[in-house]
């Protein structure tokens, strides 16, 4: 049964040409928001905390600080509303899921930039 689901997802779900990014990278996601009949583009810029899943069901979590409150948003990688993703900075982290980043504030919450 799982192989049938995987086959259908691989064949019929459209793939977008998105850049490679991983945990620790600072990215900007541009996505469409529909308000009534109008649509507008909004962006969400933050640090990637994790990438989860595989294939067409892959998701990623972004965290940003809005004032003193941390805001996290989970995006499916193949969400039709996503217009583009920009990688602003490549971060150097040693883990695939940086949940410890949630507790850090101030200067401790900085991630070193990777030399790629």
């Amino acid at each position: 049964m799982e192989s049938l689901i995987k086959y259908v997802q691989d064949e019929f779900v459209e793939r977008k040409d998105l850049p490679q990014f991983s945990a620790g990278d600072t990215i900007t996601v541009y996505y469409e928001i529909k308000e009534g009949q109008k649509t507008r583009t909004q962006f969400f810029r933050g640090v990637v905390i994790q990438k989860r899943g595989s294939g067409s069901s892959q998701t990623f979590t972004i965290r940003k600080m809005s004032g003193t409150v941390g805001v996290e948003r989970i995006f499916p990688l193949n969400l039709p509303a996503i217009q583009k993703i920009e990688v602003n900075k490549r971060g150097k982290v040693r883990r695939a899921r940086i949940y410890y980043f949630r507790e850090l504030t101030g200067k401790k919450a900085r991630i070193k930039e990777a030399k790629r």
Side-chain angles (χ1 to χ4, degrees), residues 3-14:
S3 62
L4 182 64
I5 293 171
K6 185 171 175 19
Y7 171 75
V8 170
Q9 286 177 343
D10 291 341
E11 290 295 319
F12 298 108
V13 175
E14 294 179 19

Side-chain angles (χ1 to χ4, degrees), residues 23-26 89-93 101 108-116:
D25 294 351
T26 303
K89 278 197 301 188
R90 300 243 180 227
K92 181 183 176 191
V93 293
F101 194 65
K108 291 180 181 179
R110 289 187 293 189
I111 295 177
K112 290 183 181 176
E113 196 160 352
K115 298 172 183 145
R116 294 185 192 180

